């Protein structure tokens, strides 16, 4: 059980708190999965299967929490949250000090407010 406990809303928002800690680390250089997707031009490259599996796993975790929360559109909301996660990681790597995790957390709260 995480520090956010068993509450799905708190657990989903805690993702952005944790991302804020991750991107604030002095050695943070970005997300390896996002970097691989950008570097691999060939959509059939075997590395794409790895990044696709990662994204499916993360989306599944998010969607599971959204179902527990009773969100009316858990699959769509999970995709929206993944866009925010990817955005935090990209901005965190390219604009140190921009605090994208806090901004994304606010947007996530809007997505969760549909419940």
């Amino acid at each position: 059980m995480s520090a956010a406990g068993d509450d799905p809303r708190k657990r989903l928002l805690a993702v952005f708190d944790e991302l804020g800690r991750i991107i604030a680390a002095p050695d943070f250089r970005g997300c390896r999965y996002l970097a691989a997707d950008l570097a691999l031009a060939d959509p059939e490259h075997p590395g794409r299967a790895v990044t696709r599996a990662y994204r499916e796993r993360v989306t599944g975790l998010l969607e599971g929490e959204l179902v527990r929360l009773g969100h009316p559109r858990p699959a769509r909301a999970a995709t929206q949250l993944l866009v925010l996660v990817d955005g935090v990681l990209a901005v965190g790597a390219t604009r140190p000090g921009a605090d994208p995790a806090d901004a994304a957390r606010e947007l996530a709260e809007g997505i969760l407010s549909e419940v």
Side-chain angles (χ1 to χ4, degrees):
M1 187 129 0
S2 75
D6 196 38
D7 181 304
R9 179 183 306 275
K10 288 180 182 176
R11 290 167 59 93
L12 288 163
L13 293 175
V15 167
F16 298 96
D17 298 335
E18 183 61 24
L19 285 171
R21 284 188 284 280
I22 289 168
I23 66 172
D27 60 344
F28 179 72
R29 299 290 179 263
C31 172
R32 71 185 86 181
Y33 298 101
L34 184 56
D37 276 342
L38 295 171
L40 299 172
D42 179 4
E44 301 305 317
H45 189 284
R48 286 292 182 112
V50 173
T51 62
R52 193 170 26 258
Y54 158 76
R55 284 204 166 43
E56 288 171 2
R57 199 167 49 252
V58 173
T59 302
L61 291 169
L62 296 170
E63 188 173 348
E65 291 296 323
L66 288 157
V67 167
R68 288 184 61 225
L69 182 63
H71 196 283
R73 301 179 312 145
R76 180 66 173 168
T79 299
Q80 291 169 331
L81 292 174
L82 185 62
V83 167
L84 294 176
V85 167
D86 281 346
V88 169
L89 294 168
V91 173
T94 59
R95 293 183 47 220
D99 200 12
D102 188 53
R105 190 182 199 284
E106 277 186 47
L107 292 169
E109 288 172 349
I111 294 166
L112 301 180
S113 72
E114 290 186 41
V115 178

